[in-house]
Amino acid sequence: MDDRPLASEREIGAALKRLRGRRSLRDMAKAARISKSSLSRYENGAPVPLHLASVLDHVYSARGWIEAAVRSSGRERWDPWRTDEAGSRHVHTWPANYAGSVSIHVRPTPAGVGLPHHLRLAWGPWSARMTLPVPRPGLQLTTGKSRDEVAVPCQLDCDPPAHALFLVGATAHRHSVDIRTLWCRTVD
């Protein structure tokens, strides 16, 4: 994979085909525990469901690129109240080679809409803390990422529990917060 994020389902499908190489569609589908016809649809540009992002990334040995692309292309379809369980801890690892904007979309539970949420981020030697009310459509926390030799996990702790979607890039969002100036180096 190159160092830029994939922008569309068509590009994701083409990348899946390239990464599959000479391996059979049947073998890849079996490894992903999905039907051959579903995998064929994804390779031909159908949207990949968010819950399959990490599975396909692993099966295709994409080092985080497919997962990042699927999450970013699927952000408009993300409906955590219907599909995900809220949590107080979320961990994600962006591809090591990626450099650019990254964002975390935090969405409250129905009971947490509008309430202050205590958010703590830990990313390698860096941390950031903030307390913000989270509206129904959620908050987009935006920061930057440089290239790394190894991928470094980013951990988000939320109180009260919330949903989180980690993304490559940043899009216009009504409730966006630039957190680049909030990072502090953690003392070892």
Side-chain angles (χ1 to χ4, degrees), residues 80-81 84-90 107-110 160-164:
W81 290 0
D84 298 343
E85 201 164 310
S88 56
R89 176 163 289 169
H90 305 273
R107 193 168 290 170
T109 63
H163 304 279

Side-chain angles (χ1 to χ4, degrees), residues 14-25:
L16 289 171
K17 282 182 182 176
R18 263 193 326 276
L19 288 168
R20 179 164 55 89
R22 295 190 134 143
R23 295 176 285 182
S24 76
L25 192 62

